[in-house]
Amino acid sequence: MALFWCTEALPLAVTALFPVVLFPMMGIMDSTAACSQYLKDTNMLFIGGMLVAISVEKWNLHKRIALRVLLIVGVKPALLLLGFMIVTAFLSMWITNTATTAMMIPIAQAVIEQLYSSEEKVDELVVDRADKSECQPNGNAKQLTENVKVTPDNEQKHLKLCKGMSLCVCYSASIGGIATLTGTTPNLVMKGQMDELFPGNNNIINFASWFGFSFPTMVLLLALSWIWLQFLFLGTKFKKNFGCGRKPEQKEKEKRAYQVIVSEHKQLGSMSFAEICVLVMFTLLVLLWFLRDPGFMPGWATISFNKGGKEYVTDATVAIFIALMMFIFPSELPSCNATTFNLGKNGRIRPPPPLLDWKTVNEKMPWNIVFLLGGGFALAKGSEESGLSTWLGDKLTPLQSIPPVAIALLLCLMVATFTECTSNVATTTLFLPILASMAKVIHLNPLYIMLPCTLSASLAFMLPVATPPNAIAFSYGQLKVVDMARSGFFLNIIGVLVITLAINSWGFYMFDLGTFPTWANSTGKP
């Protein structure tokens, strides 16, 4: 399965079905036990989160949020770059990084093209003024003509800004996904593997605990990425990048680009009833996730849905509940006005359509990921049942002589390199069971290596084929592979260092990583 996932000889989801056939034939697990791995709590969390994300996309709420933030940030080069990065990262926390990139790249390109076209108009104006000044003895003609000669440089600057903007969007989409448990699929793989391999872990990984660790990590990585991309594509004149000492023609150029964002926002009109409902539901979902079991105080699920010390409600329950509400709530306010009745063919009044319908879900739901997650869980369970995990862990015993900090750093570098060539889901699915076994053998807290390696699987910055956001950005034509490789290589190093810092600072105390927990001795069997 590892070979097939790495080479993609078969679709990833098809390879994920191998355990259903092979495990019973090999005597590892019976068919019922193997099949039960394909729709676990984590899969339902993914489905519920995706249903809410599809609702947000359907009613264009994500685009409204993006344009509103850009209107606040403005179009000064450095702030424009930062604005697109913040918006993209925030949206990628809740909806797929592919959908986020597909929406943000065209907006970014439209703004950049407007900046360039405005600059050309300014240059044409300079040429006209130079022509008129040729017969005047005031000496201004030479100065104006010199201004015209900067046009090739302007073209080069425009190209670099286009590259920087495309890269900032696709990189931010990957970075933003690490902040929430449902932000990207590897996070859910991590959650599922923890629950599968260590069933007595006391729900140590949930939405609130993941956010508490990963959100600061994401913010720090996003800030350093912004500085790196600004240095690479805007130069070191930071005052100029922030709009200090701008010329009048520069102000005019930025004003025209700002109008592009304004016109895009105006086209959306005022918020519809459906958008307001989706926004309320989305906000409710996040609040319920955070307050279910925040850790520092009893959560609503701990108080109301707890029997005999066992919690009956999980993050998946909340996600599915809000998703069901999307299918029930109407997208329009019901009206008794006879002129607004929606009559069917039989003359009966039809109710307004719901916020979400199954046709839309079928078109946008990545069902292949559900099978891919299930295949990973089945593979982990089979490795445990067959003794493969224990054998691999024993082979890695010599790592006890290496300091834990060095182990985490080396493993993060290895995963970050590996994920450039394979799917990040396949990478985490393959590595996490092995890392869990190794941690048990050398008596290291499994979270100390599983958590940073999961985040490192999202650091796919170097190649267009590494992740869909990179491919989307590359498809717009201004980028070359060498551009992405050059900027992505250094960003990979930054990402690994930031994640290593996070797991050895606030993460170390959040999850008490200095001790070997009792739940880590579990075999995964009931």
Side-chain angles (χ1 to χ4, degrees), residues 10-26:
L10 290 175
L12 299 180
V14 175
T15 302
L17 297 174
F18 279 12
V20 177
V21 178
L22 297 180
F23 283 1
M25 293 174 62
M26 294 176 173

Side-chain angles (χ1 to χ4, degrees), residues 215-395:
F215 182 75
T217 309
M218 184 272 287
V219 171
L220 181 57
L221 181 53
L222 196 70
L224 292 175
S225 303
W226 172 58
I227 294 171
W228 168 239
L229 290 175
Q230 188 182 166
F231 170 77
L232 201 60
F233 295 102
L234 297 182
T236 55
K237 297 180 180 178
F238 295 108
K239 284 187 177 181
K240 186 177 180 182
N241 294 340
F242 281 92
C244 299
R246 292 174 299 163
K247 297 178 180 179
E249 58 266 23
Q250 185 71 20
K251 292 181 180 179
E252 179 64 26
K253 180 180 68 171
E254 292 176 359
K255 184 178 177 181
R256 289 172 181 263
Y258 187 78
Q259 288 303 315
V260 173
I261 304 175
V262 172
S263 62
E264 287 272 348
H265 189 263
K266 281 184 178 179
Q267 287 178 10
L268 294 176
S270 57
M271 283 191 75
S272 64
F273 176 75
E275 283 183 87
I276 295 171
C277 285
V278 171
L279 180 60
V280 171
M281 294 279 191
F282 174 74
T283 306
L284 180 61
L285 172 66
V286 176
L287 288 175
L288 288 175
W289 267 339
F290 271 114
L291 301 177
R292 184 186 67 81
D293 185 15
F296 58 86
M297 67 176 189
W300 58 267
T302 310
I303 297 171
S304 304
F305 301 95
N306 191 307
K307 189 180 293 184
K310 181 180 180 182
E311 292 185 16
Y312 278 66
V313 171
T314 66
D315 290 334
T317 314
V318 177
I320 294 297
F321 168 70
I322 297 297
L324 288 174
M325 292 300 101
M326 296 286 189
F327 285 98
I328 296 172
F329 270 70
S331 59
E332 301 170 7
L333 272 174
S335 175
C336 295
N337 188 346
T339 59
T340 61
F341 281 160
N342 189 6
L343 300 179
K345 294 181 180 179
N346 54 7
R348 293 181 181 179
I349 298 174
R350 291 186 300 183
L355 293 171
L356 190 60
D357 59 88
W358 196 248
K359 182 181 178 183
T360 305
V361 171
N362 263 336
E363 291 173 354
K364 296 192 175 184
M365 175 67 77
W367 296 110
N368 60 319
I369 299 297
V370 178
F371 293 111
L372 191 55
L373 283 170
F377 300 151
L379 189 61
K381 186 68 173 177
S383 299
E384 189 71 42
E385 293 287 338
S386 66
L388 175 62
S389 295
T390 305
W391 179 81
L392 286 171
D394 291 338
K395 293 298 180 183

Side-chain angles (χ1 to χ4, degrees), residues 383-384 387-400 431-444 449:
S383 299
E384 189 71 42
L388 175 62
S389 295
T390 305
W391 179 81
L392 286 171
D394 291 338
K395 293 298 180 183
L396 295 170
T397 305
L399 288 174
Q400 279 181 315
F431 276 99
L432 290 183
I434 299 173
L435 298 179
S437 301
M438 182 192 75
K440 288 167 66 175
V441 170
I442 66 176
H443 282 74
L444 184 66
I449 51 177

Side-chain angles (χ1 to χ4, degrees), residues 362-497:
N362 263 336
E363 291 173 354
K364 296 192 175 184
M365 175 67 77
W367 296 110
N368 60 319
I369 299 297
V370 178
F371 293 111
L372 191 55
L373 283 170
F377 300 151
L379 189 61
K381 186 68 173 177
S383 299
E384 189 71 42
E385 293 287 338
S386 66
L388 175 62
S389 295
T390 305
W391 179 81
L392 286 171
D394 291 338
K395 293 298 180 183
L396 295 170
T397 305
L399 288 174
Q400 279 181 315
S401 59
I402 302 176
V405 176
I407 293 175
L409 179 61
L410 290 173
L411 289 174
C412 285
L413 282 170
M414 180 178 68
V415 170
T417 304
F418 198 78
T419 197
E420 293 288 351
C421 307
T422 64
S423 160
N424 54 11
V425 184
T427 301
T428 47
T429 301
L430 293 172
F431 276 99
L432 290 183
I434 299 173
L435 298 179
S437 301
M438 182 192 75
K440 288 167 66 175
V441 170
I442 66 176
H443 282 74
L444 184 66
N445 193 313
L447 279 176
Y448 187 75
I449 51 177
M450 293 175 72
L451 193 52
C453 286
T454 300
L455 299 189
S456 298
S458 294
L459 304 180
F461 300 136
M462 288 181 61
L463 299 175
V465 296
T467 186
N470 291 10
I472 293 171
F474 189 78
S475 68
Y476 272 76
Q478 298 98 340
L479 286 168
K480 297 179 181 178
V481 175
V482 67
D483 296 321
M484 191 169 283
R486 182 181 58 173
S487 57
F489 174 77
F490 191 71
L491 203 54
N492 271 10
I493 302 298
I494 293 174
V496 168
L497 293 177

